[in-house]
Amino acid sequence: MLDKVFDPKSAEPRLYAAWEASGAFAPTNDPEAEPFSIIMPPPNVTGSLHVGHALNNTLQDVLVRFERMRGKAALWLPGTDHAGIATQMVVERQLALAGNINRREMGRENFLAEVWKWKATSGGKIVEQLRRLGASCDWSRERFSLDEGSSCAVRKVFVTLFKEGLIYRDKRLVNWDPQFQTAISDLEVEQREIEGHFWHLAYPLADGSGEIVVSTTRPETMLGDAAVAVHPDDERYKHLVGKGVILPIVGRQIPIVADEHADPEKGSGAVKITPAHDFDDFQVARRHGLPMINILDEYAHVNESAPQAYRGLDRFTARAKVVDACDALGLLRGTEKIRHMVPHGDRSGVVVEPFLTDQWFVNAEVLARPAIEAVVEGDTVFAPRHWEKTYLEWMRNIQPWTISRQLWWGHRIPAWFGPDGTIFVEETEEEAKAQACAHYGRDEPLVQDEDVLDTWFSSALWPFSTLGWPDKTPDLKRFYPTHTLVTGFDIIPFWVARMMMQGLHLTEEVPFKRVFINALVRDASGAKMSKSKGNVMDPLDLIDEFGADALRFTLTAMSGVTRDIKLSRQRIEGYRNLGTKLWNATRFAQLNSCTRETTFSPELARMPLNRWIVGETARATKIVASALVECDFSEAADALYRFIWNVFCDWYIELSKPVLNGADSAVRDETRAVTAWVLDVTLKILHPIMPFLTEELWAETARLGAPRGHQGFIMTAAWPQLAESLVDPAADAEIRLIIDTISEGRSVRQELNIPPAARPLLLVVEASETQREALTANAQLIARLLRVADVRLVNAVPPGAVSYVIAGATLALPVAQFIELTTERNRLTKEITSLGAEADKLAKKLSNQDFIARAPEHVVEDTRDRLAAAKAGQAKLESALTRLFAVLN
């Protein structure tokens, strides 16, 4: 006999260890099995399981478990990412705390040894945490983005693209993170609104005839100015184009140029041009052949290109000093306080500096073309489909991808420099030396590029490098292209787009056929989770409290097409109760000796109640399967919840109790067999979402009487294939009539405050002959569940009775003797008025455009939800009042 409650703390580790030890996570070796593959988005080795990981990996696991049960060769390949900047940042911080150790003092090799040591002992905890979630990935195939296979693929790709002219080295402006002293991509830059100033500075004309005023938020960069630009159509300055100004402080003469970059409506209409420190100015300089003077070093300190008094100063210290100097020279024409957007590094949090430096780039525009076409043509589809717009907008406006990083942790760029600066790009140093020898006619010393590749460069190869590419491995042949990618919308440009570009270019196939974009998890009020707000929900804490199944079902049920998921402990507790409900239903089956003989088939059921539940089971199985095929996870979870809680555990078990306690042994035995069969199917279709509970119950129900084919785990059992013919319309109509009669009758009792002890009659006023027969045949059952004295056939609704209609049949409950009608009318009227006032207040709030514009998104959404609830409550009470008026009149 089952224990009274399911104990996830003891069951989950035991069940997971058994699954993993059995090898059940690996795809079947059956060559006839259709392959289904998912490549896990690799979590960073610096990370721990957060709610976003829990959602993303739960959905992947649901798909894999479902397809495994459908007989496919299901591969979910796991792995972790080395996460270049993030990991180096963590280790550097640890070394600093351990003894103020600096990586540059340690040297590259010693520092990397420390990183590998950290990765081996402390990194990758998330892998073990994923096991706690129930992730059924094939751990025997686990990969790491810096393992030898990945490194081989990265070198191959870099060399291939370089020799095709798609990777090149250039001196360009990049986003520079002064804290990490490395270039970062546009996607790693976060725009933040901060307080700042607009300074208006006068630049004297070189001929002494006057001055021109420029406006800037970054006066320190004037030390590297190359020109002043005015719009070619600006009448105020046409006579100055071609003349020169004297750059204050520096004393250098720079030209005035005409360029459409200058906005006549902004500030004075004249702008300073600093090509080495502004992306727009860089383009102006290229158009006009201006020099590019970098006045900052990699730490954002002023370098030797600036006047002596400023060298070595931090950029912000230099800013204040430049403003003071201009003021002292009488050239400061005004200062305005402003709020403006300033770029920050998303990892370091410091202000990013446009920085002129030599970097490696990918010609992303060329690679993007087939990747755009693949989505437009439907070779890869997004779900929900509206995310295609985000993908296509990014790809159609793509810029060169800066792939070099001035870090030590990562894939070293396979490029070597000769003594004259010639670059040799090969997969190995030996090949580079051979190429250099052919070039120079003799051996020459080579120096490998110090930089490493952007983490996303290796991540872009993940779908095929993990399967053994560039070798033509059996896994690559069988499982590539992969089927579904489950990921977040925030990394569509970071990762999805780049995988599409690299996959199509290098394998000539899309890397995945479908991209499912999961939502963002927020707290119960809709606010983004953050440690500073104190609203972070640790999934491991939630698993400890409620069990993995409850968390998994909650996340699955809430993962509809909306952008945000509002997660609360109350929701998780509610879905845990679903598991408890099924656990108790299994105990009920055990207590009532519900077993299914091996010869049983659901088509053999004859009793209407049993034919009804067989049809409902077939219907639920079809809905769940169809939903999971379409990645409609919330629909699958909703269908399961409705079927398990309402249909099976509530109505069928309740309606079957008199049968199981009755004297008719044939009907009793059929009901026992049907109950066992329904329980079998229910466990199977629930398993992908609630694997632990269902596996535990599967093992237990295998011991219920005669053998029922429970060989091995439920996770490897076949998905139920149930014919639509199992749905019996006649049985469906009969049992639905009984259920609706009881349900609506209970609602009437509740709405009108009829005391629980009151036992009115249930009157059948108008009904078809079939309905009359069904209601009278089940009168005893209806009387017990609806708390009525009896079911009677009458010709009219008597005075003092409230009527309701079910499937065309008119039923009535005489209630006048059980309630004070006037008092009840006054109560309902008061509650309707109160709800109406609340609805009006909320509607007025939502009609205020200022509220819609200024209030946080989750506050607006919560207000809409409250309005909908108020209106629904008002409508329900108005219906009850209408019924009551009918009694009064």
Side-chain angles (χ1 to χ4, degrees):
M1 173 61 69
L2 278 174
D3 293 336
K4 288 188 176 181
V5 295
F6 175 57
D7 179 19
K9 287 188 177 180
S10 64
E12 289 174 0
R14 167 173 48 80
L15 291 171
Y16 195 90
W19 286 332
E20 190 170 357
S22 73
F25 294 160
T28 175
N29 292 323
D30 181 1
E32 300 300 316
E34 179 186 344
F36 177 89
S37 56
I38 291 179
I39 305 299
M40 177 187 290
N44 294 345
V45 292
T46 57
S48 60
L49 190 71
H50 58 65
V51 178
H53 285 128
L55 169 65
N56 180 267
N57 285 282
T58 292
L59 300 184
Q60 291 176 79
D61 195 43
V62 169
L63 285 180
V64 168
R65 287 179 181 272
F66 169 63
E67 297 294 0
R68 185 184 290 126
M69 294 179 76
R70 292 214 299 165
K72 294 185 181 180
L75 170 64
W76 184 16
L77 196 151
T80 51
D81 193 276
H82 65 281
I85 289 180
T87 303
Q88 183 162 316
M89 178 177 67
V90 168
V91 177
E92 284 195 69
R93 187 180 297 140
Q94 289 181 343
L95 291 171
L97 291 173
N100 200 25
I101 304 171
N102 183 286
R103 68 177 170 97
R104 297 186 186 279
E105 295 172 356
M106 293 179 67
R108 188 177 194 127
E109 296 306 317
N110 289 334
F111 176 75
L112 290 178
E114 287 296 322
V115 182
W116 279 107
K117 189 188 303 181
W118 179 87
K119 190 263 177 186
T121 58
S122 303
K125 290 181 181 177
I126 195 169
V127 168
E128 291 305 315
Q129 294 166 343
L130 286 171
R131 286 177 160 91
R132 291 201 58 194
L133 189 66
S136 64
C137 22
D138 185 356
W139 296 109
S140 70
R141 286 175 163 88
E142 183 182 356
R143 296 294 302 271
F144 177 51
S145 64
L146 264 180
D147 63 26
E148 184 49 42
S150 294
S151 298
C152 174
V154 166
R155 291 191 297 268
K156 177 76 172 179
V157 172
F158 188 94
V159 173
T160 299
L161 296 183
F162 175 80
K163 293 186 176 182
E164 291 174 347
L166 293 172
I167 283 181
Y168 58 94
R169 188 169 172 82
D170 194 9
K171 184 180 286 291
R172 297 174 60 96
L173 274 192
V174 297
N175 300 297
W176 186 265
D177 189 313
Q179 177 165 316
F180 294 130
Q181 297 95 53
T182 182
I184 58 176
S185 74
D186 292 341
L187 295 170
E188 295 166 291
V189 175
E190 191 177 89
Q191 297 291 340
R192 300 181 187 176
E193 188 178 36
I194 66 171
E195 299 283 351
H197 294 86
F198 228 157
W199 287 279
H200 305 283
L201 306 175
Y203 284 21
L205 294 173
D207 61 9
S209 61
E211 65 183 28
I212 189 167
V213 176
V214 300
S215 302
T216 180
T217 58
R218 305 181 64 218
E220 71 280 6
T221 63
M222 70 178 292
L223 303 175
D225 279 0
V228 170
V230 296
H231 195 278
D233 297 331
D234 194 332
E235 295 294 337
R236 295 171 295 175
Y237 301 120
K238 276 189 174 182
H239 67 289
L240 296 179
V241 173
K243 291 188 175 184
V245 296
I246 300 300
L247 183 60
I249 301 173
V250 179
R252 178 164 34 88
Q253 182 171 326
I254 58 176
I256 299 173
V257 299
D259 195 280
E260 292 185 352
H261 166 60
D263 184 355
E265 304 299 323
K266 189 174 181 180
S268 66
V271 293
K272 58 190 286 298
I273 302 300
T274 318
H277 297 285
D278 185 277
F279 288 99
D280 291 327
D281 292 1
F282 179 80
Q283 297 302 329
V284 173
R286 284 195 160 185
R287 288 194 288 271
H288 296 275
L290 300 173
M292 301 188 186
I293 305 166
N294 186 356
I295 53 98
L296 296 176
D297 64 15
E298 63 267 30
Y299 297 94
H301 293 163
V302 179
N303 64 21
E304 65 281 354
S305 296
Q308 181 66 45
Y310 296 87
R311 294 175 187 174
L313 295 180
D314 173 79
R315 54 185 163 164
F316 300 120
T317 304
R319 174 177 299 177
K321 189 166 182 175
V322 165
V323 172
D324 288 344
C326 288
D327 193 16
L329 292 169
L331 301 175
L332 181 62
R333 294 290 177 265
T335 304
E336 296 177 49
K337 283 188 176 181
I338 60 168
R339 290 190 64 82
H340 62 142
M341 304 303 291
V342 176
H344 289 69
D346 65 349
R347 293 280 184 187
S348 66
V350 303
V351 175
V352 168
E353 192 67 42
F355 194 62
L356 187 64
T357 181
D358 290 309
Q359 300 289 343
W360 291 93
F361 297 88
V362 171
N363 188 337
E365 183 181 359
V366 172
L367 293 178
R369 290 170 194 156
I372 291 170
E373 184 180 357
V375 170
V376 170
E377 295 297 322
D379 298 330
T380 294
V381 297
F382 280 74
R385 291 298 291 264
H386 65 81
W387 289 113
E388 287 182 7
K389 182 179 179 182
T390 300
Y391 169 87
L392 292 172
E393 282 183 356
W394 166 255
M395 294 292 268
R396 285 168 176 159
N397 295 284
I398 202 162
Q399 298 297 311
W401 174 15
T402 314
I403 57 171
S404 46
R405 296 291 181 269
Q406 288 64 56
L407 303 171
W408 288 352
W409 175 245
H411 291 278
R412 189 87 174 264
I413 290 177
W416 285 262
F417 295 91
D420 59 355
T422 302
I423 302 175
F424 304 95
V425 174
E426 295 292 346
E427 293 184 46
T428 66
E429 186 173 7
E430 290 71 25
E431 290 172 319
K433 285 181 176 178
Q435 189 189 47
C437 185
H439 173 77
Y440 293 115
R442 61 186 180 280
D443 290 336
E444 289 285 358
L446 300 180
V447 177
Q448 186 174 0
D449 195 315
E450 291 286 322
D451 292 350
V452 299
L453 287 163
D454 177 13
T455 299
W456 296 104
F457 188 89
S458 53
S459 297
L461 316 181
W462 194 247
F464 49 93
S465 67
T466 51
L467 294 170
W469 187 94
D471 294 335
K472 298 185 183 300
T473 64
D475 273 1
L476 186 68
K477 181 179 180 181
R478 190 181 192 194
F479 295 111
Y480 188 84
T482 64
H483 190 280
T484 300
L485 172 71
V486 181
T487 189
F489 60 83
D490 54 331
I491 57 174
I492 290 175
F494 272 106
W495 193 42
V496 178
R498 288 165 175 172
M499 285 190 288
M500 287 289 289
M501 290 190 288
Q502 298 285 44
L504 280 162
H505 187 76
L506 296 160
T507 72
E508 298 183 346
E509 293 186 89
V510 293
F512 24 75
K513 299 169 186 174
R514 174 174 61 184
V515 182
F516 178 79
I517 302 297
N518 60 249
L520 178 69
V521 185
R522 296 181 179 271
D523 70 9
S525 68
K528 189 173 182 178
M529 293 187 188
S530 71
K531 291 180 181 178
S532 61
K533 292 180 181 178
N535 64 347
V536 172
M537 300 177 74
D538 186 332
L540 298 178
D541 291 342
L542 297 174
I543 290 172
D544 286 338
E545 185 175 357
F546 301 106
D549 286 330
L551 177 61
R552 287 169 61 107
F553 199 98
T554 305
L555 294 170
T556 305
M558 298 176 70
S559 64
V561 297
T562 57
R563 183 177 174 124
D564 297 332
I565 290 176
K566 294 181 182 178
L567 187 64
S568 69
R569 277 181 157 76
Q570 290 76 16
R571 284 183 181 270
I572 302 170
E573 184 177 15
Y575 288 121
R576 180 184 61 183
N577 294 341
L578 175 68
T580 302
K581 192 92 167 174
L582 185 58
W583 186 269
N584 291 336
T586 307
R587 282 176 55 84
F588 171 84
Q590 286 183 320
L591 289 168
N592 286 277
S593 304
C594 295
T595 62
R596 175 165 63 89
E597 299 297 332
T598 53
T599 57
F600 173 80
S601 175
E603 291 88 351
L604 300 176
R606 293 291 175 263
M607 182 183 174
L609 176 64
N610 290 332
R611 293 197 63 75
W612 166 74
I613 192 60
V614 165
E616 287 290 328
T617 306
R619 187 179 286 121
T621 301
K622 181 181 179 181
I623 293 171
V624 173
S626 298
L628 291 181
V629 165
E630 297 300 323
C631 280
D632 194 346
F633 298 101
S634 58
E635 174 61 22
D638 289 347
L640 283 164
Y641 188 94
R642 290 192 301 269
F643 173 72
I644 294 169
W645 190 289
N646 301 109
V647 177
F648 179 50
C649 293
D650 273 359
W651 286 111
Y652 178 71
I653 287 180
E654 197 62 40
L655 296 174
S656 69
K657 285 178 181 178
V659 178
L660 293 171
N661 294 325
D664 190 328
S665 60
V667 173
R668 187 172 63 243
D669 289 346
E670 177 187 293
T671 303
R672 285 171 173 166
V674 167
T675 301
W677 176 82
V678 173
L679 190 58
D680 264 8
V681 175
T682 302
L683 293 177
K684 288 179 180 179
I685 63 176
L686 178 62
H687 174 77
I689 303 178
M690 283 187 154
F692 292 108
L693 175 82
T694 53
E695 193 70 78
E696 188 82 335
L697 289 176
W698 182 257
E700 183 65 29
T701 54
R703 295 190 285 273
L704 289 178
R708 291 163 42 221
H710 285 203
Q711 302 298 319
F713 297 116
I714 192 173
M715 70 174 288
T716 55
W719 185 265
Q721 300 295 325
L722 304 181
E724 290 187 17
S725 60
L726 292 176
V727 177
D728 183 337
D732 209 28
E734 178 177 338
I735 303 305
R736 180 49 56 192
L737 176 67
I738 295 167
I739 290 173
D740 290 348
T741 296
I742 296 168
S743 295
E744 188 64 14
R746 286 172 173 173
S747 294
V748 171
R749 294 186 64 126
Q750 181 182 16
E751 290 167 4
L752 299 180
N753 270 349
I754 299 173
R759 292 291 187 274
L761 291 168
L762 174 65
L763 306 177
V764 181
V765 184
E766 293 181 5
S768 67
E769 189 60 34
T770 301
Q771 289 174 326
R772 285 172 177 263
E773 289 176 2
L775 291 169
T776 53
N778 292 279
Q780 187 177 355
L781 182 62
I782 293 170
R784 181 171 68 86
L785 295 179
L786 184 52
R787 295 175 178 266
V788 294
D790 198 2
V791 178
R792 301 274 177 86
L793 304 178
V794 297
N795 294 321
V797 178
V802 59
S803 62
Y804 61 98
V805 177
I806 299 296
T810 301
L811 310 174
L813 288 170
V815 298
Q817 61 182 309
F818 300 109
I819 57 174
E820 211 300 304
L821 297 177
T822 303
T823 301
E824 194 57 31
R825 180 191 62 189
N826 293 339
R827 180 187 70 83
L828 288 171
T829 302
K830 184 178 179 180
E831 289 187 19
I832 289 168
T833 301
S834 176
L835 284 171
E838 174 70 6
D840 289 343
K841 178 182 174 183
L842 294 169
K844 184 177 180 181
K845 198 172 186 179
L846 288 168
S847 67
N848 184 337
Q849 292 304 311
D850 189 56
F851 168 73
I852 298 294
R854 292 179 177 273
E857 185 179 339
H858 69 273
V859 172
V860 176
E861 187 177 343
D862 181 63
T863 305
R864 290 193 179 108
D865 290 345
R866 288 165 55 201
L867 175 60
K871 286 183 174 180
Q874 186 180 12
K876 184 176 180 180
L877 294 179
E878 285 173 344
S879 174
L881 187 60
T882 300
R883 283 185 176 135
L884 190 61
F885 273 127
V887 176
L888 288 168
N889 295 330

